[in-house]
Amino acid sequence: MPKGPRFQTPQGMHDVLPEDQPYIERISGVVKDVADFYGYARIDTPMLEDAALFEKGIGVTTDIVEKQMYFLRTKGGDVLAMRPEFTAGIARAYIQHGMINLPQPVKLYSTGPLFRHESPQAGRFRQFHQFDFEIFGEQSPANDAQIIQMFYAILRELKFSHLIIEVNSIGDSQCRPYYKKLLVNYLRPRQYSLCVDCRRRMKENPLRILDCKEEKCQRVRSQAPQIIDSLCDECKNHFKQLLEFLDEADLPYHLNPHLVRGLDYYTKTVFEIFVETEGDQGEGKTLALAGGGRFDTLVKLLGGKDVPATGAAAGMERIVSLLKEKQLFTPPTPQYRIFLAQLGDAAKKKSAKLLEEMRKAKLNVAESVGRDSLRAQLARADKLGAEFTLILGQREVLDNTIVIREMAKGTQETVKLEKVVEEVRKRLKK
Ligand code: AMP
């Protein structure tokens, strides 16, 4: 069997190759435009944080913290974790930098890599990228609606159709404990019909049983009491208002009583955005692109003041692969109207300075400074579709001139080297 290269990317991690960069740039461009319009400032937090930040913030019994975090012990003995999500780090930064003293709300966004030790499969990686938006300091359902609207707008701007927004409320510390009891009372006599993981979740995190993907658990949950019926007045009101905002904004949403999201810090609103796609056998499938919700207790839990917040994140890789699969974006091919060719050592040396001059003049010039033959260079200029080739030969170097060749006609003109930028500009305008 032929052996592959000795070193490969670690399992579940991938290189973002040059051909994928235009897709990332396109997504990042749309994200930045939407962030700028809605007044979100960019923040970048470290990829490594104190592991306890995630344990405390996300919760020790969640899948992310329990099974998926990458840990690292520093030489000084600190235990750090590779960030598995953005929110806890951004909330830490909000507290650390006293952002509570700024006019509220504080609206922040970020993009970058995250790390989760999950079993790799299609659309699921161990290092992946997200963009993330958070609002701190306001409790209005209008903020939740704005976040949902922004994610929807970004995906629509990227030309996605067949998007489905699913929303739910998981209550707060007033009503959720009561609901948990109701749920456990319902599940207890049925626990042997649940998967092994869910039987364990009964004690630690019974809400997660509601979004288990196992068929037998889904059968049990279909008759389970719904949290919506147990919400306290405040949560009920918040949810009702959120739905009114979504209606008013014409956002296509479904209520999903089983949507709970995996993390402990959520309160009230939770949502996910899915897209309809085709499975391997051509069957209809939905794929999660974005998810988030309100997290009113997180800042306090991490040692800050009582600051309500809401936010969400979306996965870049899934968006990139769908942009390709659905042919929603064609990477632009670079356009070069000018090519610089050179002949001989002296010309080669001079062309380095000339290229820099062209760059400063914002002229887009292609070159092939490693090649010697003029024929090869002209062929390259043709291939790139250049309209003009500048030829710097031995004679021109001595005379301080340069030849401008019009590629379509094959005509050539010699001009003074110091006038080349001006002369090229004149011809490009014609
Ligand atoms: P989450 O932070 O788990 O709510 O995920 C938000 C979005 O990030 C998902 O809807 C996916 O698009 C993306 N995502 C989450 N986990 C992964 C992963 N392991 N690999 C690739 N994308 C992911």
Side-chain angles (χ1 to χ4, degrees):
M1 209 168 73
K3 270 205 342 211
R6 176 158 169 229
F7 294 112
Q8 310 234 349
T9 44
Q11 214 194 348
M13 304 198 178
H14 61 278
D15 300 307
V16 184
L17 292 170
E19 57 264 33
D20 282 344
Q21 300 293 347
Y23 291 86
I24 302 281
E25 277 166 27
R26 169 78 187 133
I27 301 167
S28 307
V30 173
V31 167
K32 182 171 172 9
D33 286 349
V34 173
D36 287 349
F37 177 83
Y38 283 97
Y40 288 68
R42 184 174 176 109
I43 184 164
D44 288 301
T45 58
M47 275 176 241
L48 287 165
E49 298 269 5
D50 186 337
L53 171 75
F54 300 115
E55 286 160 358
K56 205 161 172 64
I58 303 174
V60 277
T61 64
T62 56
D63 282 356
I64 286 192
V65 169
E66 203 176 44
K67 302 185 198 151
Q68 299 171 355
M69 275 214 302
Y70 283 88
F71 292 98
L72 182 147
R73 188 179 289 278
T74 66
K75 286 189 177 144
D78 296 331
V79 181
L80 303 181
M82 307 285 282
R83 63 182 181 195
E85 55 106 55
F86 278 109
T87 308
I90 296 179
R92 192 253 324 121
Y94 176 90
I95 302 167
Q96 183 177 338
H97 302 286
M99 293 190 207
I100 184 128
N101 301 315
L102 300 174
Q104 306 292 304
V106 172
K107 295 174 162 188
L108 300 169
Y109 83 101
S110 199
T111 68
L114 304 171
F115 305 85
R116 293 183 194 170
H117 195 271
E118 303 194 71
S119 23
Q121 46 182 279
R124 193 174 292 284
F125 302 98
R126 290 181 173 170
Q127 177 179 337
F128 61 101
H129 297 75
Q130 283 186 342
F131 54 87
D132 177 279
F133 289 86
E134 317 280 3
I135 310 180
F136 292 89
E138 277 184 356
Q139 27 199 346
S140 166
N143 296 136
D144 303 358
Q146 180 175 92
I147 292 277
I148 296 175
Q149 184 170 16
M150 287 170 68
F151 277 85
Y152 186 75
I154 290 169
L155 293 170
R156 291 290 295 143
E157 199 75 23
L158 291 168
K159 308 237 166 16
F160 280 95
S161 53
H162 302 96
L163 294 169
I164 308 152
I165 303 167
E166 295 195 346
V167 280
N168 193 21
S169 172
I170 54 166
D172 63 7
S173 57
Q174 292 248 339
C175 49
R176 203 185 312 160
Y178 169 72
Y179 173 71
K180 267 192 192 166
K181 263 194 210 139
L182 271 185
L183 183 64
V184 171
N185 284 345
Y186 165 83
L187 292 172
R188 197 171 294 119
R190 296 165 177 86
Q191 59 182 302
Y192 294 105
S193 309
L194 297 172
C195 72
V196 186
D197 273 347
C198 281
R199 258 178 265 160
R200 192 171 42 82
R201 286 179 186 134
M202 285 261 293
K203 273 203 210 87
E204 297 163 352
N205 206 343
L207 253 62
R208 290 279 356 236
I209 298 173
L210 294 176
D211 75 353
C212 179
K213 301 287 174 282
E214 292 280 331
E215 213 183 310
K216 51 188 193 177
C217 302
Q218 296 194 349
R219 236 176 287 134
V220 173
R221 80 164 186 209
S222 62
Q223 301 298 320
Q226 297 191 354
I227 191 160
I228 291 292
D229 301 322
S230 306
L231 294 180
C232 60
D233 284 348
E234 193 193 312
C235 289
K236 207 181 285 172
N237 212 5
H238 188 99
F239 194 50
K240 186 170 155 273
Q241 285 186 51
L242 169 71
L243 300 185
E244 285 165 8
F245 277 113
L246 300 182
D247 282 330
E248 202 58 42
D250 282 334
L251 293 170
Y253 67 87
H254 291 219
L255 301 183
N256 177 356
H258 303 126
L259 181 68
V260 294
R261 313 253 317 127
L263 321 181
D264 277 4
Y265 56 58
Y266 286 115
T267 49
K268 296 181 178 148
T269 310
V270 287
F271 82 94
E272 285 200 42
I273 303 183
F274 296 86
V275 66
E276 278 173 23
T277 73
E278 253 180 35
D280 296 339
Q281 267 81 45
E283 75 283 14
K285 239 179 49 163
T286 60
L287 183 68
L289 294 184
R294 178 159 280 283
F295 49 99
D296 288 342
T297 52
L298 180 65
V299 175
K300 190 157 184 212
L301 192 71
L302 297 179
K305 299 245 168 68
D306 203 355
V307 177
T310 186
M316 295 272 212
E317 280 76 4
R318 290 188 193 177
I319 296 178
V320 169
S321 73
L322 286 169
L323 287 178
K324 286 184 184 168
E325 192 184 303
K326 294 178 185 271
Q327 298 180 359
L328 300 177
F329 173 70
T330 317
T333 37
Q335 292 294 319
Y336 294 104
R337 296 180 70 189
I338 314 157
F339 189 90
L340 173 64
Q342 83 291 315
L343 265 177
D345 274 353
K348 211 172 259 194
K349 282 181 193 133
K350 214 161 192 163
S351 62
K353 197 168 154 207
L354 182 58
L355 270 175
E356 221 0 58
E357 225 175 280
M358 296 283 193
R359 186 189 66 77
K360 285 189 191 144
K362 300 208 183 325
L363 289 171
N364 219 2
V365 185
E367 46 73 28
S368 183
V369 290
R371 284 184 208 201
D372 295 323
S373 129
L374 183 61
R375 242 177 79 199
Q377 293 182 74
L378 288 177
R380 174 109 187 107
D382 250 342
K383 197 156 176 231
L384 291 172
E387 290 164 48
F388 299 97
T389 297
L390 310 177
I391 306 168
L392 199 55
Q394 277 152 352
R395 153 105 64 85
E396 287 74 28
V397 170
L398 291 176
D399 296 351
N400 252 327
T401 56
I402 192 161
V403 171
I404 304 183
R405 180 186 174 92
E406 190 170 342
M407 297 299 282
K409 294 190 192 146
T411 51
Q412 303 199 156
E413 216 179 310
T414 303
V415 302
K416 282 260 158 233
L417 193 55
E418 73 256 26
K419 292 258 161 71
V420 65
V421 168
E422 196 183 310
E423 291 289 336
V424 166
R425 276 211 181 114
K426 223 186 324 178
R427 282 167 177 76
L428 288 178
K429 268 198 202 126
K430 274 187 199 159

